[in-house]
Amino acid sequence: MADWMLWWIPGAPLVAAILLACFGKTALRGISPLVCVAGVGVSAVLSLLLMFTGNVAEEPIRLLGYQWLSIGDLTVDIVLQADALSTMMLVMVTTVSSLVAIYAAGYMHGDPGQPRFFAAVSLFVFSMTMLVLSGNLILLYVFWEAVGLCSYLLIGFWFHKPEAAAAAKKAFLVNRIGDFGFALGIFLIWLLVGEALNGLPPAGQQLLDYSTVFQAAETVSRAHPTLLMTACLLLFAGAVGKSAQFPLHVWLPDAMEGPTPVSALIHAATMVTAGVYMVCRLSPLFALAPEAQAVVATIGGITALLAALIALTQFDLKRILAYSTVSQLGLMFVALGSGCSGEEILPVAAIGAMFHLFTHAFFKALLFLGAGSVMHSMGNVIDIRQFSGLRRVMPITHWTFLVGALALAGIPPLSGFWSKDEILAVVGLAAEESPYPSLFGWLRIGVLLTSGLTAFYIFRAYLLTFWGEERFPKAAGHHPHESPPVMAYPLIALAVCAAGIGLAVGPSHAFFHFLSHAPGLKGEPHPLAASVMATGTLVGLAGVFTAWWVYIARPGLATTWAKRFSGFYRMSLGKFFFDEIYSAVAVKPLEGIADTSSLVDKSVIDRLVDWIAGRPALVGRWFRKWQSGLIQSYAAMMFLGLMLLTVYLVWVE
């Protein structure tokens, strides 16, 4: 039974995508949302059945489809692999995607490109589920790129808008930088594993199968420790691009130009989580390269704090949430990097990161869909300076957004409290037991500061949107209203998950016990210390109280602080000018080279080619004069030629 479920988890959304691509504009035009919801919903139901009835934790499933390609010593099979880690990801991806698809049915109602949108969403879910189920690195890379392609289609869905087209292109190009490193890392792993095993993997497996790579990892580590570290850093480069980490974080906030359901899909449960999943999946490799893990933690810490500082001053509600996603992903990488502390800490670190990824998917999807509900009611206006006091006209959106904000702020007993405290705990352990105590000491301070800033900026957004005097933009019309039921029900479902999932699996360590069956993650949980829980709660509450004090109790205080710290305010509002720096350092010089090349091509090369091409025509015009049509002229020319030839032969002899 589990075998056919494993094929149909990606198969159902693929069938939906094919049907919508072929018949979306004709026979299925009126029911395209239903087809997408059905395909993704079947995938979600099967994922839940696989988790609760498939016994994948105790007996992982490995299905061999067929041989895809064979080039010399490189053979790649289509292999699906379901274990505790992949099953958890499947449940998260498909559940959130199903709720987003239902929400999108209302949000995209009346859009002429609706069939194309739902076809792209279905293809996106198929690609993500195949990425999760991939049993080898090549298949992982193929669907890693497929997810990137689908994101390009979805971000640029409204391609007639210059901003959307530019954002899609930016996301695609920035991700190519990280993906190039990822490809190099896979190639290096192939070389190292092939050398370690003399090109002879275990029976029924290939060199790039996860199990084969993990079996050879110890041998590779002893023979080539530096090359293994290099391979891990190259693999992490792919995660930096896909999960929008510093310095490749600039694409994610601009992805807000796509429809709001796309933002929830990309930012919560699918594309951006792929990097965290990949590093966790390959944790047996990273465990043998503690230097690479330290780099992972450092990049994550810089990203988490940097994005939180930028989110403090933004006014676009979706952009605030986008930078929040970047920041929270940074915290996950800090946790993953804390695994360098040793074999006992590695499972705690990796599972802690995945726990936060799991809870984050639900409350961040909730916040994005809540922002979309506000945008829908406000006539597509999303600037929090143009509206306020929405809690009375949008009660469902208000209460569900509040649940998401509390979960993100880490307020007990909501989900974010349990998962964020796991990260605080593991970073504290790393500061005491890792080979880099100073580094993780600073990272612990950074995580606490990021947590406080997170609570502040999300409640800044919440208070400015839903509290204060009722104020609506002209685009909203005279009667702002709550979203229709098809959009409200997913909000309620996500709010229930954001509130209860952490409490359901956190105190009992059920999440840890389930994931500890995955390769490289076997271990025992570390109970959360009361001091960690108290510290995390106090930091979160301090951020919430500060936001209330600045924007409700003393509304003029925000302006005063902005003037007093004008330098920092301008830096934060300008997103620390990363886009401008990249434009000056990379984009403009490359455009200059392109313009120069174009000028040389048109002015020199094209003219030279045209000149050369014109010579035969010139010669032809000269010889054409001799073509008179008179027989006597031709005879005279033949006689002249014969005489010249005779003279030449006599002269030569």
mmCIF file of all heavy atoms in Angstrom, residues 349-365:
data_model
loop_
_atom_site.group_PDB
_atom_site.id
_atom_site.type_symbol
_atom_site.label_atom_id
_atom_site.label_comp_id
_atom_site.label_asym_id
_atom_site.label_seq_id
_atom_site.Cartn_x
_atom_site.Cartn_y
_atom_site.Cartn_z
ATOM 1 N N ALA A 349 20.480 19.494 17.213
ATOM 2 C CA ALA A 349 20.570 20.708 16.411
ATOM 3 C C ALA A 349 19.751 20.593 15.134
ATOM 4 O O ALA A 349 18.957 21.488 14.795
ATOM 5 C CB ALA A 349 22.036 21.002 16.079
ATOM 6 N N ALA A 350 19.934 19.490 14.397
ATOM 7 C CA ALA A 350 19.240 19.311 13.126
ATOM 8 C C ALA A 350 17.729 19.202 13.324
ATOM 9 O O ALA A 350 16.946 19.823 12.594
ATOM 10 C CB ALA A 350 19.781 18.076 12.409
ATOM 11 N N ILE A 351 17.306 18.421 14.311
ATOM 12 C CA ILE A 351 15.872 18.252 14.543
ATOM 13 C C ILE A 351 15.262 19.540 15.075
ATOM 14 O O ILE A 351 14.118 19.882 14.763
ATOM 15 C CB ILE A 351 15.624 17.065 15.499
ATOM 16 C CG1 ILE A 351 16.074 15.764 14.816
ATOM 17 C CG2 ILE A 351 14.149 16.977 15.885
ATOM 18 C CD1 ILE A 351 15.992 14.546 15.704
ATOM 19 N N GLY A 352 16.026 20.296 15.882
ATOM 20 C CA GLY A 352 15.549 21.597 16.339
ATOM 21 C C GLY A 352 15.295 22.543 15.170
ATOM 22 O O GLY A 352 14.290 23.263 15.139
ATOM 23 N N ALA A 353 16.203 22.540 14.195
ATOM 24 C CA ALA A 353 16.021 23.363 13.002
ATOM 25 C C ALA A 353 14.788 22.928 12.217
ATOM 26 O O ALA A 353 13.989 23.753 11.760
ATOM 27 C CB ALA A 353 17.266 23.289 12.118
ATOM 28 N N MET A 354 14.609 21.614 12.051
ATOM 29 C CA MET A 354 13.448 21.109 11.313
ATOM 30 C C MET A 354 12.142 21.353 12.076
ATOM 31 O O MET A 354 11.094 21.570 11.460
ATOM 32 C CB MET A 354 13.620 19.615 11.046
ATOM 33 C CG MET A 354 14.781 19.268 10.122
ATOM 34 S SD MET A 354 14.749 20.154 8.534
ATOM 35 C CE MET A 354 13.237 19.527 7.827
ATOM 36 N N PHE A 355 12.202 21.334 13.397
ATOM 37 C CA PHE A 355 11.015 21.633 14.195
ATOM 38 C C PHE A 355 10.563 23.078 13.953
ATOM 39 O O PHE A 355 9.375 23.350 13.747
ATOM 40 C CB PHE A 355 11.317 21.393 15.676
ATOM 41 C CG PHE A 355 10.114 21.501 16.576
ATOM 42 C CD1 PHE A 355 8.817 21.311 16.097
ATOM 43 C CD2 PHE A 355 10.278 21.763 17.935
ATOM 44 C CE1 PHE A 355 7.709 21.389 16.941
ATOM 45 C CE2 PHE A 355 9.184 21.847 18.781
ATOM 46 C CZ PHE A 355 7.908 21.675 18.275
ATOM 47 N N HIS A 356 11.522 23.994 13.937
ATOM 48 C CA HIS A 356 11.161 25.390 13.677
ATOM 49 C C HIS A 356 10.699 25.571 12.234
ATOM 50 O O HIS A 356 9.786 26.358 11.968
ATOM 51 C CB HIS A 356 12.343 26.303 13.975
ATOM 52 C CG HIS A 356 11.966 27.750 14.057
ATOM 53 N ND1 HIS A 356 10.980 28.235 14.891
ATOM 54 C CD2 HIS A 356 12.415 28.842 13.374
ATOM 55 C CE1 HIS A 356 10.853 29.542 14.744
ATOM 56 N NE2 HIS A 356 11.706 29.929 13.821
ATOM 57 N N LEU A 357 11.310 24.837 11.303
ATOM 58 C CA LEU A 357 10.850 24.886 9.916
ATOM 59 C C LEU A 357 9.393 24.433 9.817
ATOM 60 O O LEU A 357 8.592 25.026 9.092
ATOM 61 C CB LEU A 357 11.763 24.014 9.045
ATOM 62 C CG LEU A 357 11.483 23.942 7.539
ATOM 63 C CD1 LEU A 357 12.787 23.732 6.770
ATOM 64 C CD2 LEU A 357 10.541 22.788 7.212
ATOM 65 N N PHE A 358 9.043 23.387 10.571
ATOM 66 C CA PHE A 358 7.699 22.821 10.533
ATOM 67 C C PHE A 358 6.682 23.804 11.102
ATOM 68 O O PHE A 358 5.653 24.076 10.470
ATOM 69 C CB PHE A 358 7.685 21.512 11.330
ATOM 70 C CG PHE A 358 6.425 20.713 11.178
ATOM 71 C CD1 PHE A 358 6.185 19.966 10.040
ATOM 72 C CD2 PHE A 358 5.479 20.697 12.187
ATOM 73 C CE1 PHE A 358 5.017 19.223 9.896
ATOM 74 C CE2 PHE A 358 4.317 19.960 12.062
ATOM 75 C CZ PHE A 358 4.082 19.220 10.914
ATOM 76 N N THR A 359 6.936 24.335 12.277
ATOM 77 C CA THR A 359 5.984 25.272 12.878
ATOM 78 C C THR A 359 5.934 26.580 12.094
ATOM 79 O O THR A 359 4.858 27.172 11.922
ATOM 80 C CB THR A 359 6.360 25.556 14.344
ATOM 81 O OG1 THR A 359 7.671 26.163 14.409
ATOM 82 C CG2 THR A 359 6.358 24.272 15.161
ATOM 83 N N HIS A 360 7.098 27.038 11.616
ATOM 84 C CA HIS A 360 7.162 28.286 10.854
ATOM 85 C C HIS A 360 6.302 28.222 9.604
ATOM 86 O O HIS A 360 5.684 29.221 9.204
ATOM 87 C CB HIS A 360 8.621 28.575 10.490
ATOM 88 C CG HIS A 360 8.807 29.762 9.587
ATOM 89 N ND1 HIS A 360 8.871 29.662 8.207
ATOM 90 C CD2 HIS A 360 8.932 31.085 9.879
ATOM 91 C CE1 HIS A 360 9.034 30.862 7.695
ATOM 92 N NE2 HIS A 360 9.075 31.745 8.667
ATOM 93 N N ALA A 361 6.225 27.060 8.971
ATOM 94 C CA ALA A 361 5.439 26.926 7.745
ATOM 95 C C ALA A 361 3.985 27.302 7.988
ATOM 96 O O ALA A 361 3.360 27.982 7.160
ATOM 97 C CB ALA A 361 5.536 25.498 7.226
ATOM 98 N N PHE A 362 3.430 26.912 9.113
ATOM 99 C CA PHE A 362 2.018 27.159 9.380
ATOM 100 C C PHE A 362 1.755 28.605 9.791
ATOM 101 O O PHE A 362 0.856 29.252 9.242
ATOM 102 C CB PHE A 362 1.504 26.187 10.444
ATOM 103 C CG PHE A 362 1.450 24.767 9.969
ATOM 104 C CD1 PHE A 362 2.493 23.889 10.247
ATOM 105 C CD2 PHE A 362 0.382 24.310 9.226
ATOM 106 C CE1 PHE A 362 2.457 22.578 9.792
ATOM 107 C CE2 PHE A 362 0.335 23.000 8.764
ATOM 108 C CZ PHE A 362 1.381 22.135 9.048
ATOM 109 N N PHE A 363 2.547 29.138 10.742
ATOM 110 C CA PHE A 363 2.209 30.503 11.155
ATOM 111 C C PHE A 363 2.664 31.545 10.138
ATOM 112 O O PHE A 363 2.048 32.597 10.033
ATOM 113 C CB PHE A 363 2.704 30.818 12.573
ATOM 114 C CG PHE A 363 4.191 30.742 12.826
ATOM 115 C CD1 PHE A 363 5.071 31.673 12.297
ATOM 116 C CD2 PHE A 363 4.709 29.773 13.667
ATOM 117 C CE1 PHE A 363 6.426 31.634 12.574
ATOM 118 C CE2 PHE A 363 6.063 29.706 13.945
ATOM 119 C CZ PHE A 363 6.913 30.637 13.406
ATOM 120 N N LYS A 364 3.694 31.254 9.338
ATOM 121 C CA LYS A 364 4.075 32.223 8.325
ATOM 122 C C LYS A 364 3.096 32.191 7.155
ATOM 123 O O LYS A 364 2.764 33.242 6.575
ATOM 124 C CB LYS A 364 5.503 31.970 7.874
ATOM 125 C CG LYS A 364 6.064 33.025 6.901
ATOM 126 C CD LYS A 364 5.964 34.456 7.420
ATOM 127 C CE LYS A 364 6.742 34.671 8.726
ATOM 128 N NZ LYS A 364 8.177 34.657 8.549
ATOM 129 N N ALA A 365 2.613 31.004 6.760
ATOM 130 C CA ALA A 365 1.569 30.939 5.744
ATOM 131 C C ALA A 365 0.323 31.675 6.218
ATOM 132 O O ALA A 365 -0.332 32.391 5.441
ATOM 133 C CB ALA A 365 1.233 29.480 5.423
#
